[in-house]
Amino acid sequence: MSLSGKEPTVKGTARLVYWNNWAAPLSEIYLRLYPNTHAYNAAMAIEHVLVNGKSIAPELSVGDTALRLKLDSPLLPGEMTAIEIAFLTRVPKDSQQSYRMLNYASGVLVLNNFYPMFAVYDNKGWDTEPISDQGDAVYSEVSFYQVRLTCPADMVLATSGSEIDRKTNSDGTATWAFVSGPVRDFSVLMSAEYRVAQATVGGTTVRSFYLPKDEVGGKAILEYACTALAIYQRLFGLYPYAELDMVQAPVGAGGVEAPGLVMVKDEHYTLEHGYAEFIVAHEVAHQWWYGLVGNDQPDEPWIDESLTNYTAMVYYQELRSREYADQILRWYLRDPYQRAIDGKHDMPVNLPAAAYPNPIYYEIVYAKGALFYHELRQRLGDAAFFAILREYSSKHRYGLVTGQQFLDFWRSRAGQDINDLIQRWILGP
């Protein structure tokens, strides 16, 4: 990794193992190169590809975001293949594009989806659709990661995994080794300026990475994260990883989720308006809804975002007075959805992210979609509502859920007809 020059660069080799878990043989494998999307405003070049030790010519398509590897012989169900890909990713400086998932600003390097990632093979085949600028770009299955990263030795690193080794090199760099359990992707943030505060919740170490000028905000965000983690574990099931990192970052959204890691936008460390607490409550909930139970975020963002936004409401209901929690519900759910109605922009919740213009995306997917759970909870009662969510988290942990599967799950567990709520809040305008 180099931080000098016009743009930071990450030069790496990805050694991958892919298992065919489907009932049919596969004649090809696809990977996604997210840095080449318009939303990431970066670039990834592929230098060489080996499949089972044999060099092959990579085939790029979909604006260089899909990498096709044609196999010499079909990969049979239950079999695996070994892939090696050498790549070079260029990271923009001071990016202003979309969520700034790849960025180097204010001495902080943000690396999300910076390596070739397997595309998802589902009932429709390989997912190689063009990637929208709206919403989250990544659709991925879980993998185990072993990561070795060499960078300047004075850097403080926050990652999706746990550090297991660090070696100082003679050239002023250091090499870190990280591992993770099953996660959907692996993110890295680093800065020589980061300070770290930490606490423990059950068996999980929660850390807050912040810049020196924002110590008060950094420690407050640590407290919010610990509280959210404790509440959600009690209600939805145990968080399975050893660490959870909250990281101050020059990202474009208020907060961005990654497995075992949450990025919080710089400006919210002032703690003005209380928005930082809401961001933390929302993004920590993503560790369950997206992290543990996955879905196609570009095509069906409501599956994780609507439930995550309502889970943030649960945080306030568990922690604060009823009056304060009702005010949060109005600010973040009722008022935004009312703006959509007043502007005659009411839409179904279950559309692809690209279908919604800004700011309708939040008003419909995040606000209207969350109100579905508010109504559902009132109809079913707290005991049944949270029991169903615990079962959902357990049954689909580390898997992928479609919108139809999700609605069928609720219909089968509710013990009563809820189709009117589904029609009113999810399917209808």
Side-chain angles (χ1 to χ4, degrees):
M1 175 183 298
S2 173
L3 299 180
S4 60
K6 184 179 179 180
E7 294 177 320
T9 57
V10 180
K11 184 179 179 66
T13 300
R15 295 181 177 91
L16 312 169
V17 174
Y18 185 85
W19 291 86
N20 181 4
N21 293 317
W22 285 80
L26 300 175
S27 61
E28 60 189 5
I29 293 174
Y30 275 90
L31 293 99
R32 300 310 302 259
L33 313 185
Y34 288 102
N36 290 338
T37 66
H38 180 261
Y40 280 54
N41 192 32
M44 179 188 290
I46 301 301
E47 299 184 339
H48 76 247
V49 179
L50 301 177
V51 177
N52 292 327
K54 179 182 177 181
S55 179
I56 70 169
E59 300 176 29
L60 292 171
S61 60
V62 198
D64 290 348
T65 67
L67 174 65
R68 177 177 180 258
L69 307 180
K70 185 178 180 180
L71 304 178
D72 282 343
S73 58
L75 184 65
L76 300 179
E79 290 187 345
M80 55 79 71
T81 188
I83 300 166
E84 180 178 301
I85 303 177
F87 66 93
L88 179 68
T89 299
R90 300 187 182 277
V91 179
K93 284 185 176 180
D94 300 311
S95 176
Q96 299 300 311
Q97 192 76 21
S98 191
Y99 288 177
R100 305 173 204 167
M101 297 293 279
L102 291 165
N103 195 19
Y104 185 50
S106 304
V108 177
L109 181 64
V110 180
L111 297 175
N112 292 290
N113 321 121
F114 61 95
Y115 53 91
M117 294 177 60
F118 283 121
V120 172
Y121 188 89
D122 57 23
N123 290 324
K124 297 180 288 185
W126 288 105
D127 183 82
T128 58
E129 295 180 1
I131 297 168
S132 169
D133 286 358
Q134 176 94 281
D136 295 307
V138 176
Y139 177 30
S140 61
E141 297 187 273
V142 297
S143 301
F144 292 92
Y145 285 81
Q146 294 179 326
V147 178
R148 293 180 63 83
L149 184 64
T150 299
C151 61
D154 62 346
M155 289 290 172
V156 178
L157 275 61
T159 76
S160 292
S162 298
E163 180 182 331
I164 59 170
D165 188 37
R166 181 181 186 273
K167 181 182 70 175
T168 302
N169 304 316
S170 60
D171 60 356
T173 66
T175 300
W176 283 260
F178 301 94
V179 296
S180 80
V183 292
R184 299 193 184 277
D185 47 60
F186 193 97
S187 294
V188 179
L189 288 92
M190 65 179 72
S191 173
E193 301 300 318
Y194 275 149
R195 303 294 184 266
V196 183
Q198 71 178 50
T200 302
V201 176
T204 301
T205 299
V206 184
R207 299 186 296 177
S208 176
F209 294 74
Y210 56 87
L211 298 174
K213 64 183 179 63
D214 293 311
E215 180 178 2
V216 172
K219 291 183 176 180
I221 283 173
L222 174 66
E223 182 179 348
Y224 303 151
C226 289
T227 303
L229 185 63
I231 290 172
Y232 300 159
Q233 287 195 111
R234 174 168 53 83
L235 293 175
F236 310 127
L238 290 179
Y239 174 82
Y241 308 119
E243 299 174 9
L244 174 62
D245 292 343
M246 312 299 296
V247 190
Q248 185 172 3
V251 290
V256 180
E257 73 275 11
L261 184 151
V262 169
M263 290 157 274
V264 180
K265 192 174 184 179
D266 296 295
E267 64 190 55
H268 298 303
Y269 280 73
T270 63
L271 303 180
E272 293 181 3
H273 313 301
Y275 193 43
E277 186 173 13
F278 175 77
I279 288 171
V280 171
H282 177 102
E283 302 301 343
V284 172
H286 265 307
Q287 299 301 316
W288 280 261
W289 323 129
Y290 147 76
L292 295 182
V293 182
N295 57 279
D296 186 339
Q297 292 180 293
D299 277 358
E300 297 187 302
W302 72 277
I303 297 176
D304 64 300
E305 293 296 358
S306 300
L307 180 52
T308 295
N309 224 31
Y310 184 69
T311 300
M313 299 301 111
V314 172
Y315 165 91
Y316 286 97
Q317 291 162 353
E318 291 287 314
L319 190 63
R320 303 292 177 80
S321 68
R322 179 174 179 177
E323 292 75 18
Y324 190 86
D326 286 347
Q327 187 177 52
I328 292 294
L329 186 76
R330 176 173 61 82
W331 283 346
Y332 292 109
L333 302 189
R334 294 197 186 281
D335 288 354
Y337 179 47
Q338 189 61 49
R339 288 195 292 271
I341 294 174
D342 293 344
K344 302 186 185 304
H345 294 140
D346 197 5
M347 298 172 68
V349 167
N350 63 332
L351 301 179
Y356 303 97
N358 266 324
I360 307 303
Y361 182 51
Y362 182 91
E363 294 171 354
I364 300 300
V365 173
Y366 288 68
K368 180 184 179 182
L371 288 169
F372 164 71
Y373 297 101
H374 182 67
E375 297 292 328
L376 189 60
R377 180 181 173 186
Q378 291 188 72
R379 179 172 295 187
L380 301 183
D382 281 7
F385 179 79
F386 287 113
I388 293 170
L389 280 177
R390 282 192 296 274
E391 183 186 356
Y392 174 68
S393 173
S394 174
K395 179 180 176 63
H396 296 288
R397 179 165 289 209
Y398 306 127
L400 292 168
V401 175
T402 67
Q404 189 62 55
Q405 289 172 327
F406 184 75
L407 293 177
D408 287 346
F409 180 85
W410 277 100
R411 288 187 179 105
S412 68
R413 302 305 196 275
Q416 57 182 286
D417 188 355
I418 58 170
N419 283 316
D420 60 319
L421 295 181
I422 292 172
Q423 182 62 40
R424 165 69 180 88
W425 293 103
I426 304 299
L427 307 180

mmCIF file of all heavy atoms in Angstrom, residues 222-262:
data_model
loop_
_atom_site.group_PDB
_atom_site.id
_atom_site.type_symbol
_atom_site.label_atom_id
_atom_site.label_comp_id
_atom_site.label_asym_id
_atom_site.label_seq_id
_atom_site.Cartn_x
_atom_site.Cartn_y
_atom_site.Cartn_z
ATOM 1 N N LEU A 222 -18.863 5.703 21.707
ATOM 2 C CA LEU A 222 -18.575 4.409 22.334
ATOM 3 C C LEU A 222 -19.702 4.013 23.284
ATOM 4 O O LEU A 222 -20.157 2.857 23.278
ATOM 5 C CB LEU A 222 -17.245 4.487 23.088
ATOM 6 C CG LEU A 222 -16.882 3.247 23.907
ATOM 7 C CD1 LEU A 222 -16.640 2.043 23.004
ATOM 8 C CD2 LEU A 222 -15.644 3.528 24.779
ATOM 9 N N GLU A 223 -20.166 4.950 24.081
ATOM 10 C CA GLU A 223 -21.239 4.652 25.032
ATOM 11 C C GLU A 223 -22.525 4.276 24.296
ATOM 12 O O GLU A 223 -23.202 3.304 24.671
ATOM 13 C CB GLU A 223 -21.488 5.867 25.929
ATOM 14 C CG GLU A 223 -22.557 5.637 26.984
ATOM 15 C CD GLU A 223 -22.770 6.842 27.881
ATOM 16 O OE1 GLU A 223 -21.949 7.776 27.838
ATOM 17 O OE2 GLU A 223 -23.777 6.842 28.615
ATOM 18 N N TYR A 224 -22.869 5.030 23.244
ATOM 19 C CA TYR A 224 -24.072 4.693 22.477
ATOM 20 C C TYR A 224 -23.968 3.278 21.903
ATOM 21 O O TYR A 224 -24.933 2.509 21.932
ATOM 22 C CB TYR A 224 -24.273 5.667 21.309
ATOM 23 C CG TYR A 224 -24.365 7.126 21.662
ATOM 24 C CD1 TYR A 224 -23.950 8.102 20.758
ATOM 25 C CD2 TYR A 224 -24.873 7.562 22.881
ATOM 26 C CE1 TYR A 224 -24.037 9.450 21.041
ATOM 27 C CE2 TYR A 224 -24.961 8.923 23.191
ATOM 28 C CZ TYR A 224 -24.533 9.860 22.251
ATOM 29 O OH TYR A 224 -24.602 11.202 22.543
ATOM 30 N N ALA A 225 -22.803 2.950 21.352
ATOM 31 C CA ALA A 225 -22.622 1.642 20.718
ATOM 32 C C ALA A 225 -22.743 0.506 21.724
ATOM 33 O O ALA A 225 -23.362 -0.530 21.445
ATOM 34 C CB ALA A 225 -21.276 1.585 20.004
ATOM 35 N N CYS A 226 -22.146 0.685 22.898
ATOM 36 C CA CYS A 226 -22.236 -0.353 23.935
ATOM 37 C C CYS A 226 -23.681 -0.567 24.371
ATOM 38 O O CYS A 226 -24.131 -1.709 24.545
ATOM 39 C CB CYS A 226 -21.383 0.037 25.138
ATOM 40 S SG CYS A 226 -19.594 -0.053 24.862
ATOM 41 N N THR A 227 -24.416 0.524 24.513
ATOM 42 C CA THR A 227 -25.816 0.426 24.925
ATOM 43 C C THR A 227 -26.639 -0.278 23.857
ATOM 44 O O THR A 227 -27.442 -1.167 24.157
ATOM 45 C CB THR A 227 -26.388 1.826 25.205
ATOM 46 O OG1 THR A 227 -25.591 2.474 26.208
ATOM 47 C CG2 THR A 227 -27.828 1.735 25.684
ATOM 48 N N ALA A 228 -26.444 0.111 22.590
ATOM 49 C CA ALA A 228 -27.191 -0.510 21.492
ATOM 50 C C ALA A 228 -26.871 -1.993 21.386
ATOM 51 O O ALA A 228 -27.772 -2.825 21.206
ATOM 52 C CB ALA A 228 -26.877 0.208 20.177
ATOM 53 N N LEU A 229 -25.594 -2.327 21.497
ATOM 54 C CA LEU A 229 -25.194 -3.726 21.388
ATOM 55 C C LEU A 229 -25.857 -4.569 22.474
ATOM 56 O O LEU A 229 -26.358 -5.679 22.208
ATOM 57 C CB LEU A 229 -23.675 -3.838 21.472
ATOM 58 C CG LEU A 229 -23.077 -5.228 21.246
ATOM 59 C CD1 LEU A 229 -23.380 -5.725 19.837
ATOM 60 C CD2 LEU A 229 -21.570 -5.201 21.495
ATOM 61 N N ALA A 230 -25.891 -4.066 23.694
ATOM 62 C CA ALA A 230 -26.499 -4.809 24.794
ATOM 63 C C ALA A 230 -28.002 -4.991 24.569
ATOM 64 O O ALA A 230 -28.552 -6.081 24.787
ATOM 65 C CB ALA A 230 -26.238 -4.088 26.110
ATOM 66 N N ILE A 231 -28.683 -3.957 24.106
ATOM 67 C CA ILE A 231 -30.129 -4.037 23.861
ATOM 68 C C ILE A 231 -30.429 -5.030 22.751
ATOM 69 O O ILE A 231 -31.302 -5.903 22.881
ATOM 70 C CB ILE A 231 -30.690 -2.642 23.509
ATOM 71 C CG1 ILE A 231 -30.662 -1.726 24.741
ATOM 72 C CG2 ILE A 231 -32.111 -2.757 22.961
ATOM 73 C CD1 ILE A 231 -31.020 -0.281 24.441
ATOM 74 N N TYR A 232 -29.694 -4.933 21.653
ATOM 75 C CA TYR A 232 -29.994 -5.776 20.489
ATOM 76 C C TYR A 232 -29.650 -7.246 20.744
ATOM 77 O O TYR A 232 -30.338 -8.136 20.252
ATOM 78 C CB TYR A 232 -29.255 -5.261 19.261
ATOM 79 C CG TYR A 232 -29.602 -3.833 18.870
ATOM 80 C CD1 TYR A 232 -28.742 -3.077 18.074
ATOM 81 C CD2 TYR A 232 -30.788 -3.234 19.297
ATOM 82 C CE1 TYR A 232 -29.049 -1.780 17.712
ATOM 83 C CE2 TYR A 232 -31.097 -1.922 18.948
ATOM 84 C CZ TYR A 232 -30.217 -1.195 18.153
ATOM 85 O OH TYR A 232 -30.518 0.095 17.805
ATOM 86 N N GLN A 233 -28.593 -7.484 21.506
ATOM 87 C CA GLN A 233 -28.280 -8.878 21.836
ATOM 88 C C GLN A 233 -29.398 -9.507 22.659
ATOM 89 O O GLN A 233 -29.749 -10.680 22.446
ATOM 90 C CB GLN A 233 -26.956 -8.971 22.589
ATOM 91 C CG GLN A 233 -25.738 -8.730 21.721
ATOM 92 C CD GLN A 233 -24.458 -9.190 22.390
ATOM 93 O OE1 GLN A 233 -23.847 -10.158 21.967
ATOM 94 N NE2 GLN A 233 -24.051 -8.488 23.441
ATOM 95 N N ARG A 234 -29.939 -8.749 23.567
ATOM 96 C CA ARG A 234 -31.027 -9.273 24.391
ATOM 97 C C ARG A 234 -32.278 -9.545 23.559
ATOM 98 O O ARG A 234 -32.982 -10.540 23.781
ATOM 99 C CB ARG A 234 -31.342 -8.271 25.517
ATOM 100 C CG ARG A 234 -32.544 -8.637 26.361
ATOM 101 C CD ARG A 234 -32.626 -7.787 27.613
ATOM 102 N NE ARG A 234 -32.579 -6.363 27.329
ATOM 103 C CZ ARG A 234 -33.640 -5.630 26.968
ATOM 104 N NH1 ARG A 234 -34.827 -6.217 26.838
ATOM 105 N NH2 ARG A 234 -33.530 -4.339 26.753
ATOM 106 N N LEU A 235 -32.548 -8.694 22.583
ATOM 107 C CA LEU A 235 -33.793 -8.805 21.827
ATOM 108 C C LEU A 235 -33.680 -9.715 20.606
ATOM 109 O O LEU A 235 -34.651 -10.383 20.234
ATOM 110 C CB LEU A 235 -34.251 -7.414 21.377
ATOM 111 C CG LEU A 235 -34.676 -6.451 22.481
ATOM 112 C CD1 LEU A 235 -34.995 -5.085 21.891
ATOM 113 C CD2 LEU A 235 -35.879 -6.996 23.243
ATOM 114 N N PHE A 236 -32.490 -9.746 19.947
ATOM 115 C CA PHE A 236 -32.394 -10.403 18.639
ATOM 116 C C PHE A 236 -31.421 -11.580 18.581
ATOM 117 O O PHE A 236 -31.323 -12.254 17.567
ATOM 118 C CB PHE A 236 -31.980 -9.385 17.565
ATOM 119 C CG PHE A 236 -32.801 -8.132 17.565
ATOM 120 C CD1 PHE A 236 -32.202 -6.891 17.638
ATOM 121 C CD2 PHE A 236 -34.190 -8.206 17.516
ATOM 122 C CE1 PHE A 236 -32.964 -5.730 17.650
ATOM 123 C CE2 PHE A 236 -34.962 -7.054 17.529
ATOM 124 C CZ PHE A 236 -34.349 -5.805 17.603
ATOM 125 N N GLY A 237 -30.677 -11.815 19.640
ATOM 126 C CA GLY A 237 -29.702 -12.896 19.625
ATOM 127 C C GLY A 237 -28.284 -12.350 19.698
ATOM 128 O O GLY A 237 -28.018 -11.177 19.420
ATOM 129 N N LEU A 238 -27.341 -13.207 20.060
ATOM 130 C CA LEU A 238 -25.977 -12.777 20.332
ATOM 131 C C LEU A 238 -25.260 -12.270 19.090
ATOM 132 O O LEU A 238 -25.383 -12.834 18.009
ATOM 133 C CB LEU A 238 -25.176 -13.927 20.953
ATOM 134 C CG LEU A 238 -25.559 -14.337 22.378
ATOM 135 C CD1 LEU A 238 -24.696 -15.502 22.819
ATOM 136 C CD2 LEU A 238 -25.417 -13.163 23.335
ATOM 137 N N TYR A 239 -24.503 -11.218 19.264
ATOM 138 C CA TYR A 239 -23.552 -10.733 18.266
ATOM 139 C C TYR A 239 -22.370 -11.702 18.275
ATOM 140 O O TYR A 239 -21.777 -11.953 19.324
ATOM 141 C CB TYR A 239 -23.119 -9.324 18.668
ATOM 142 C CG TYR A 239 -22.033 -8.700 17.824
ATOM 143 C CD1 TYR A 239 -22.331 -8.094 16.614
ATOM 144 C CD2 TYR A 239 -20.709 -8.685 18.257
ATOM 145 C CE1 TYR A 239 -21.341 -7.495 15.852
ATOM 146 C CE2 TYR A 239 -19.711 -8.089 17.504
ATOM 147 C CZ TYR A 239 -20.037 -7.495 16.303
ATOM 148 O OH TYR A 239 -19.045 -6.897 15.558
ATOM 149 N N PRO A 240 -21.990 -12.273 17.124
ATOM 150 C CA PRO A 240 -21.068 -13.412 17.161
ATOM 151 C C PRO A 240 -19.579 -13.085 17.052
ATOM 152 O O PRO A 240 -18.765 -14.004 17.109
ATOM 153 C CB PRO A 240 -21.506 -14.215 15.928
ATOM 154 C CG PRO A 240 -21.950 -13.171 14.962
ATOM 155 C CD PRO A 240 -22.576 -12.088 15.789
ATOM 156 N N TYR A 241 -19.224 -11.823 16.903
ATOM 157 C CA TYR A 241 -17.819 -11.497 16.649
ATOM 158 C C TYR A 241 -17.132 -10.976 17.916
ATOM 159 O O TYR A 241 -17.773 -10.496 18.839
ATOM 160 C CB TYR A 241 -17.700 -10.478 15.520
ATOM 161 C CG TYR A 241 -18.459 -10.886 14.279
ATOM 162 C CD1 TYR A 241 -19.490 -10.105 13.779
ATOM 163 C CD2 TYR A 241 -18.163 -12.081 13.625
ATOM 164 C CE1 TYR A 241 -20.198 -10.483 12.656
ATOM 165 C CE2 TYR A 241 -18.873 -12.468 12.498
ATOM 166 C CZ TYR A 241 -19.893 -11.666 12.022
ATOM 167 O OH TYR A 241 -20.597 -12.063 10.903
ATOM 168 N N ALA A 242 -15.811 -11.042 17.909
ATOM 169 C CA ALA A 242 -15.039 -10.650 19.096
ATOM 170 C C ALA A 242 -14.981 -9.142 19.282
ATOM 171 O O ALA A 242 -14.773 -8.665 20.396
ATOM 172 C CB ALA A 242 -13.609 -11.207 18.989
ATOM 173 N N GLU A 243 -15.162 -8.382 18.170
ATOM 174 C CA GLU A 243 -14.991 -6.931 18.237
ATOM 175 C C GLU A 243 -16.099 -6.220 17.473
ATOM 176 O O GLU A 243 -16.678 -6.766 16.530
ATOM 177 C CB GLU A 243 -13.634 -6.526 17.636
ATOM 178 C CG GLU A 243 -12.435 -7.107 18.351
ATOM 179 C CD GLU A 243 -11.131 -6.791 17.634
ATOM 180 O OE1 GLU A 243 -11.150 -5.978 16.690
ATOM 181 O OE2 GLU A 243 -10.110 -7.388 17.995
ATOM 182 N N LEU A 244 -16.353 -4.987 17.867
ATOM 183 C CA LEU A 244 -17.186 -4.057 17.118
ATOM 184 C C LEU A 244 -16.495 -2.711 17.163
ATOM 185 O O LEU A 244 -16.262 -2.158 18.241
ATOM 186 C CB LEU A 244 -18.592 -3.962 17.710
ATOM 187 C CG LEU A 244 -19.513 -2.907 17.085
ATOM 188 C CD1 LEU A 244 -19.766 -3.214 15.612
ATOM 189 C CD2 LEU A 244 -20.838 -2.812 17.847
ATOM 190 N N ASP A 245 -16.138 -2.175 15.994
ATOM 191 C CA ASP A 245 -15.394 -0.914 15.907
ATOM 192 C C ASP A 245 -16.290 0.201 15.391
ATOM 193 O O ASP A 245 -16.954 0.053 14.358
ATOM 194 C CB ASP A 245 -14.198 -1.063 14.960
ATOM 195 C CG ASP A 245 -13.126 -1.986 15.522
ATOM 196 O OD1 ASP A 245 -13.149 -2.247 16.743
ATOM 197 O OD2 ASP A 245 -12.269 -2.440 14.746
ATOM 198 N N MET A 246 -16.297 1.328 16.108
ATOM 199 C CA MET A 246 -16.967 2.546 15.668
ATOM 200 C C MET A 246 -15.871 3.500 15.204
ATOM 201 O O MET A 246 -14.941 3.802 15.976
ATOM 202 C CB MET A 246 -17.765 3.162 16.811
ATOM 203 C CG MET A 246 -18.642 2.174 17.573
ATOM 204 S SD MET A 246 -19.898 1.401 16.545
ATOM 205 C CE MET A 246 -20.885 2.839 16.096
ATOM 206 N N VAL A 247 -15.955 4.004 13.964
ATOM 207 C CA VAL A 247 -14.814 4.686 13.373
ATOM 208 C C VAL A 247 -15.222 6.034 12.775
ATOM 209 O O VAL A 247 -16.127 6.095 11.934
ATOM 210 C CB VAL A 247 -14.158 3.825 12.275
ATOM 211 C CG1 VAL A 247 -12.831 4.439 11.855
ATOM 212 C CG2 VAL A 247 -13.959 2.389 12.760
ATOM 213 N N GLN A 248 -14.557 7.092 13.203
ATOM 214 C CA GLN A 248 -14.755 8.404 12.590
ATOM 215 C C GLN A 248 -14.176 8.375 11.183
ATOM 216 O O GLN A 248 -13.031 7.981 10.976
ATOM 217 C CB GLN A 248 -14.067 9.488 13.421
ATOM 218 C CG GLN A 248 -14.311 10.902 12.922
ATOM 219 C CD GLN A 248 -13.786 11.960 13.882
ATOM 220 O OE1 GLN A 248 -13.188 11.637 14.908
ATOM 221 N NE2 GLN A 248 -14.006 13.224 13.562
ATOM 222 N N ALA A 249 -14.981 8.819 10.196
ATOM 223 C CA ALA A 249 -14.562 8.603 8.815
ATOM 224 C C ALA A 249 -15.107 9.693 7.894
ATOM 225 O O ALA A 249 -16.225 10.183 8.093
ATOM 226 C CB ALA A 249 -15.048 7.242 8.325
ATOM 227 N N PRO A 250 -14.340 10.055 6.843
ATOM 228 C CA PRO A 250 -14.808 11.026 5.849
ATOM 229 C C PRO A 250 -15.702 10.370 4.801
ATOM 230 O O PRO A 250 -15.378 10.319 3.615
ATOM 231 C CB PRO A 250 -13.495 11.539 5.241
ATOM 232 C CG PRO A 250 -12.563 10.381 5.328
ATOM 233 C CD PRO A 250 -12.923 9.672 6.600
ATOM 234 N N VAL A 251 -16.830 9.819 5.257
ATOM 235 C CA VAL A 251 -17.778 9.177 4.359
ATOM 236 C C VAL A 251 -18.884 10.159 3.996
ATOM 237 O O VAL A 251 -19.031 11.218 4.610
ATOM 238 C CB VAL A 251 -18.366 7.902 4.992
ATOM 239 C CG1 VAL A 251 -17.300 6.814 5.089
ATOM 240 C CG2 VAL A 251 -18.952 8.185 6.381
ATOM 241 N N GLY A 252 -19.691 9.795 2.995
ATOM 242 C CA GLY A 252 -20.704 10.715 2.497
ATOM 243 C C GLY A 252 -22.021 10.628 3.233
ATOM 244 O O GLY A 252 -22.740 11.620 3.356
ATOM 245 N N ALA A 253 -22.387 9.448 3.720
ATOM 246 C CA ALA A 253 -23.619 9.295 4.493
ATOM 247 C C ALA A 253 -23.340 9.579 5.966
ATOM 248 O O ALA A 253 -22.179 9.601 6.405
ATOM 249 C CB ALA A 253 -24.160 7.880 4.313
ATOM 250 N N GLY A 254 -24.407 9.779 6.741
ATOM 251 C CA GLY A 254 -24.229 10.016 8.172
ATOM 252 C C GLY A 254 -23.524 8.866 8.854
ATOM 253 O O GLY A 254 -22.695 9.047 9.739
ATOM 254 N N GLY A 255 -23.851 7.654 8.425
ATOM 255 C CA GLY A 255 -23.195 6.457 8.912
ATOM 256 C C GLY A 255 -23.222 5.399 7.827
ATOM 257 O O GLY A 255 -24.117 5.394 6.975
ATOM 258 N N VAL A 256 -22.252 4.526 7.841
ATOM 259 C CA VAL A 256 -22.174 3.431 6.862
ATOM 260 C C VAL A 256 -21.799 2.160 7.611
ATOM 261 O O VAL A 256 -20.841 2.158 8.398
ATOM 262 C CB VAL A 256 -21.139 3.709 5.752
ATOM 263 C CG1 VAL A 256 -21.094 2.550 4.770
ATOM 264 C CG2 VAL A 256 -21.455 5.013 5.023
ATOM 265 N N GLU A 257 -22.535 1.086 7.340
ATOM 266 C CA GLU A 257 -22.281 -0.182 8.017
ATOM 267 C C GLU A 257 -21.283 -1.037 7.250
ATOM 268 O O GLU A 257 -21.214 -1.001 6.021
ATOM 269 C CB GLU A 257 -23.578 -0.968 8.188
ATOM 270 C CG GLU A 257 -24.142 -1.589 6.922
ATOM 271 C CD GLU A 257 -25.012 -0.664 6.088
ATOM 272 O OE1 GLU A 257 -25.035 0.550 6.376
ATOM 273 O OE2 GLU A 257 -25.666 -1.150 5.145
ATOM 274 N N ALA A 258 -20.510 -1.805 7.999
ATOM 275 C CA ALA A 258 -19.666 -2.863 7.471
ATOM 276 C C ALA A 258 -19.659 -3.960 8.533
ATOM 277 O O ALA A 258 -19.976 -3.702 9.699
ATOM 278 C CB ALA A 258 -18.247 -2.373 7.189
ATOM 279 N N PRO A 259 -19.318 -5.184 8.178
ATOM 280 C CA PRO A 259 -19.305 -6.240 9.187
ATOM 281 C C PRO A 259 -18.307 -5.942 10.320
ATOM 282 O O PRO A 259 -17.131 -5.691 10.073
ATOM 283 C CB PRO A 259 -18.877 -7.481 8.387
ATOM 284 C CG PRO A 259 -19.285 -7.186 6.992
ATOM 285 C CD PRO A 259 -19.060 -5.718 6.825
ATOM 286 N N GLY A 260 -18.805 -5.930 11.534
ATOM 287 C CA GLY A 260 -17.944 -5.693 12.680
ATOM 288 C C GLY A 260 -17.413 -4.284 12.780
ATOM 289 O O GLY A 260 -16.541 -4.016 13.614
ATOM 290 N N LEU A 261 -17.956 -3.372 11.981
ATOM 291 C CA LEU A 261 -17.398 -2.031 11.914
ATOM 292 C C LEU A 261 -18.473 -1.059 11.451
ATOM 293 O O LEU A 261 -19.256 -1.363 10.553
ATOM 294 C CB LEU A 261 -16.207 -2.024 10.946
ATOM 295 C CG LEU A 261 -15.382 -0.756 10.775
ATOM 296 C CD1 LEU A 261 -13.940 -1.124 10.410
ATOM 297 C CD2 LEU A 261 -15.942 0.138 9.675
ATOM 298 N N VAL A 262 -18.496 0.115 12.074
ATOM 299 C CA VAL A 262 -19.431 1.174 11.699
ATOM 300 C C VAL A 262 -18.649 2.450 11.446
ATOM 301 O O VAL A 262 -17.826 2.850 12.280
ATOM 302 C CB VAL A 262 -20.477 1.413 12.801
ATOM 303 C CG1 VAL A 262 -21.268 2.689 12.535
ATOM 304 C CG2 VAL A 262 -21.413 0.221 12.925
#
